[in-house]
Structure formats: structure tokens, C-alpha cells
Amino acid sequence: MPTDDTAPPPAEPAARDATAPPRAVPLLVGLAAAVVVVAGLRSFSATIGPAVLALVLVLVVHPVEPWLRRRGVYGWVSTLVVLVVLYALVLGMAAALGWSVVRLALLLPRYTNRYYELQGQALDLLNRLGVGQSQITQVVASIDPSRFVGWAQSVLEQLVAAATAFTFLLFLLFFLALDAAVFPKLLAQASWWRPRMVGALTAFAAGTRRYLLVATVFGVVVAVIDIGILYWLAVPLPLVWGLLAFLTNYIANVGFFLGLVPPALLALLDSGPRDALLVVVLYTVVNVTIQGLLQPKIVGNAVGLSATLTFLSVIFWGWALGSLGAILAVPLSLLVRTVLVDADPSARWLLPLVSGNPRGVRRQGVRLGRTGAVGATVAPPPGSETPPPPPPPEDREE
């Protein structure tokens, strides 16, 4: 076959600027900055944790104010109602946690003799299975029942020490509720300059509310069923373990195990292995049916995080911010995704990878175009002043 000798040669790749830094340098700088940020988060976890909790609570309760305004309740009255709802939630949960810890601390010393009885039975079983006596002695010496009582007492002391953080949370809720009254107007004005960021933040707030609403509803259902199971088995403190099941429902993937172990151990101490096994089996059936099958279908892809990222986020935020970080892991990860991925057009390719869904961009409602995210245009609320004129082209996002 004749060849065309006149065809132009293939284009040579553009030569890289010799003075430009290696491509790995920005990556290393970004990783170093991330390490510094994480170290700062961990150092100030006692302040950042309550601050994030206050922000999430205000996001959840804030729709009450526009709902009141649509019914003719304006001004300080609507803000006062929001504050009352916020404080009722926080104070009610704090009172329930304090009551639970006190009840548990008073109950555990009663099971010291029962613990030693079960320990002796376990030693006899291990001897029959051929486990060496020296190994058994070493394991038993490392388990001291007084540690459980000390653990409950230390939790009580930590609750007393957390009074300062709780006071900080109450004050922060007050100021955030005041700012939330005018925040829609500020957001509408900011959308002129940063439509993508405003659209991403709006989608973050809506996704966080939906996630927390569904998690709360399913947490209540699971807690009620667990309380019924524990009452039927006569396990002590069923209300305490129901509250624990409700709270651990917010901890994605691993919350079930955290809510299962304490009542199963107490059933073992109180009634024996049969009731402990029943607690494990019935809890597992409830968890698989409700949290494993029903909840994901209703939540759908609203969270926008893959299963692996959700699990890792619980581990990471729990390590960085403590127990509050584990409970708020999903909202925190959604906030990071909003700032680093949703609001950045150059990072749009990461959306399917982060969400674990090939069509995650469409289903998450964050389809970003040249003018920003879908729904990024934030209309000013009724009665608000007209937004300022558009900024110069050089100041706006392209």
C-alpha cells in the first residue's frame, strides 16, 4: 500500500519548563499542610468539637425560623423560639447522659461477686480445653473488675470537667442563632461573588439536615425496639442502653457494635450467657433489618460518601476530635467535601470517586457548571433589600 510521504510528522510533546518545580512538590506541600491542619484540630479538639456541634444543631433547627416567618412571626420572637428549641435539645440530652452515667456508676459495684463467679467458670472451661495455667493466670491478672468501676467514676469526673465546654456550647449557640436570622440575606449577597461556593454550602446544609433527620428517626425506632428487648430479657438499665443505641446510631458503620457490647456484658453479669447471647442475636437482627436494609434505601445517596470513606471518616474524626468527632464524622466529612470538591470546578472528577456512585454528580444535586452548582443562585428572602450589583468580571468566578 503506498504511503503518503507528505504527511506531517507527529507533533512533539511540549517541552517542560526546566525552571518549574517538579509535579510532586505541590502534592508534598499539600500533604504537609494537611498534617499541620490535623495537628491543630487535635490540639484544639476541646473547642472545635463543641463548635462543630453547635453549627450542626443550628443548621438542623434553623428552618424553624423561616417557617415561623411565613406564618407571621417576625423579629426577635422567631429567634427566641429557635433559641428555646436549641437549648431544650442540648439541656435535655445533657440531663439524659448525666442520669445514665450516674445510674451505671451506682449499679456496677453490685456485680463484683458475679464477675468473680463467671471468671472461675471461664478458668475451668479453659483448663478443660487444654490452655496452660500460666497463660490463664497472666490473662486474669490483667483483668481487674475494679477497673470497670474506676472507668465509670472517671467518666463522671470527665462530665464534671466538661462543664466549661458545655457553657461554651450554650454561649456559641446563642450567638449562632442570632446570626442565623440574617444569614440568608448575607448568603444571597455572597452568591454574586462566589456562586459555586454558595451553591455547595447550600447543598451541604440540605444534605446534613436530611442525613441527621433520617438518622434521628431510625435511631428512635432502633432505641424503642432495643428497650423492648431488654425489658423482655429483664436486663438492668434498659433506658440507659436505649439512649446509648440512639446516640451510637449517628456513628456510621461501627455505632451498632458500640451500642451492643455494654448491654450484652451486663446481661452476662446479671443473668448469664443465655441472655447475653439473646441480646447479641436480637440486636443483630434489628440492626441488619433496620440499619442495614431499610435505612440505606431511604437515605439513598444523600450522604454523598462511599462506604469506605464513611468508615474511615468515623475513625479519623474520632481520633482527631474525640467522641464528638465520631458522632459528627459524616457532617464533618461532608463539609470537607463541600470546600475541597464541590466548590472547586477542577475537582469535579473526584465526585463519583468520593460518593462511590458512577452517577454521583447528578444524584447529589451538585452538578457544577460555569455559573456554579445547580440551585446556587440564592434568592433574597421576602422583605430583604436588593442584592448589590454584580461585581466586576475579574472578581467573579468564571
Side-chain angles (χ1 to χ4, degrees), residues 135-183:
Q135 297 174 343
I136 296 175
T137 305
Q138 183 178 0
V139 172
V140 171
S142 63
I143 303 176
D144 186 358
S146 62
R147 293 183 181 179
F148 297 100
V149 179
W151 174 80
Q153 293 173 348
S154 66
V155 171
L156 184 60
E157 293 173 358
Q158 290 176 4
L159 286 176
V160 175
T164 302
F166 185 71
T167 305
F168 168 73
L169 173 65
L170 294 180
F171 276 105
L172 188 58
L173 284 174
F174 175 79
F175 292 113
L176 283 176
L178 293 181
D179 291 338
V182 297
F183 192 73

Side-chain angles (χ1 to χ4, degrees), residues 72-383:
V73 181
Y74 294 97
W76 62 270
V77 178
S78 59
T79 303
L80 180 61
V81 172
V82 172
L83 278 173
V84 170
V85 174
L86 286 171
Y87 284 158
L89 287 175
V90 174
L91 294 176
M93 186 57 63
L97 287 175
W99 170 81
S100 300
V101 172
V102 170
R103 289 290 306 276
L104 183 60
L106 295 176
L107 179 67
L108 285 180
R110 294 168 44 187
Y111 292 99
T112 302
N113 294 332
R114 176 62 177 167
Y115 168 80
Y116 284 116
E117 178 183 346
L118 290 174
Q119 177 180 298
Q121 296 175 2
L123 291 178
D124 293 338
L125 177 61
L126 291 176
N127 278 325
R128 289 196 297 269
L129 294 176
V131 180
Q133 184 65 34
S134 60
Q135 297 174 343
I136 296 175
T137 305
Q138 183 178 0
V139 172
V140 171
S142 63
I143 303 176
D144 186 358
S146 62
R147 293 183 181 179
F148 297 100
V149 179
W151 174 80
Q153 293 173 348
S154 66
V155 171
L156 184 60
E157 293 173 358
Q158 290 176 4
L159 286 176
V160 175
T164 302
F166 185 71
T167 305
F168 168 73
L169 173 65
L170 294 180
F171 276 105
L172 188 58
L173 284 174
F174 175 79
F175 292 113
L176 283 176
L178 293 181
D179 291 338
V182 297
F183 192 73
K185 301 177 183 179
L186 304 178
L187 202 62
Q189 295 179 4
S191 65
W192 284 100
W193 282 268
R194 293 292 182 266
R196 293 190 185 94
M197 179 60 75
V198 171
L201 291 175
T202 304
F204 158 73
T208 300
R209 289 192 195 102
R210 182 180 178 188
Y211 164 74
L212 291 177
L213 174 62
V214 175
T216 300
V217 171
F218 277 96
V220 171
V221 172
V222 170
V224 170
I225 295 176
D226 290 345
I227 290 173
I229 292 172
L230 297 176
Y231 266 117
W232 176 61
L233 296 175
V235 177
L237 304 180
L239 295 179
V240 172
W241 307 129
L243 178 62
L244 179 63
F246 171 75
L247 292 177
T248 54
N249 188 65
Y250 292 103
I251 305 177
N253 298 330
V254 298
F256 161 69
F257 300 100
L258 300 177
L260 167 64
V261 173
L265 289 178
L266 190 57
L268 177 64
L269 291 174
D270 186 75
S271 304
R274 173 184 171 276
D275 283 3
L277 181 60
L278 283 175
V279 169
V280 172
V281 171
L282 294 177
Y283 261 58
T284 302
V285 170
V286 171
N287 176 76
V288 171
T289 303
I290 296 180
Q291 296 176 321
L293 298 178
L294 297 180
Q295 184 170 343
K297 290 183 178 180
I298 294 180
V299 175
N301 294 309
V303 174
L305 297 173
S306 66
T308 302
L309 285 180
T310 302
F311 174 74
L312 292 177
S313 67
V314 172
I315 303 300
F316 172 77
W317 292 113
W319 170 79
L321 299 180
S323 56
L324 277 180
I327 294 175
L328 301 173
V330 172
L332 283 167
S333 297
L334 286 178
L335 181 59
V336 173
R337 168 192 154 152
T338 296
V339 175
L340 299 183
V341 179
D342 293 350
D344 186 0
S346 64
R348 290 169 55 189
W349 63 274
L350 285 171
L351 285 173
L353 300 176
V354 172
S355 63
N357 185 351
R359 293 179 292 180
V361 178
R362 290 183 177 272
R363 295 193 177 184
Q364 296 307 320
V366 290
R367 292 173 292 170
L368 300 177
R370 289 183 57 83
T371 59
V374 170
T377 302
V378 182

Side-chain angles (χ1 to χ4, degrees), residues 19-95:
T19 61
R23 294 179 180 177
V25 171
L27 177 61
L28 294 176
V29 172
L31 291 176
V35 171
V36 174
V37 171
V38 171
L41 288 174
R42 186 169 172 81
S43 300
F44 294 96
S45 59
T47 301
I48 295 176
V52 175
L53 176 60
L55 175 62
V56 171
L57 289 175
V58 171
L59 279 177
V60 172
V61 178
H62 179 258
V64 173
E65 188 162 4
W67 181 82
L68 291 173
R69 291 175 183 268
R70 288 193 298 269
R71 282 154 180 77
V73 181
Y74 294 97
W76 62 270
V77 178
S78 59
T79 303
L80 180 61
V81 172
V82 172
L83 278 173
V84 170
V85 174
L86 286 171
Y87 284 158
L89 287 175
V90 174
L91 294 176
M93 186 57 63

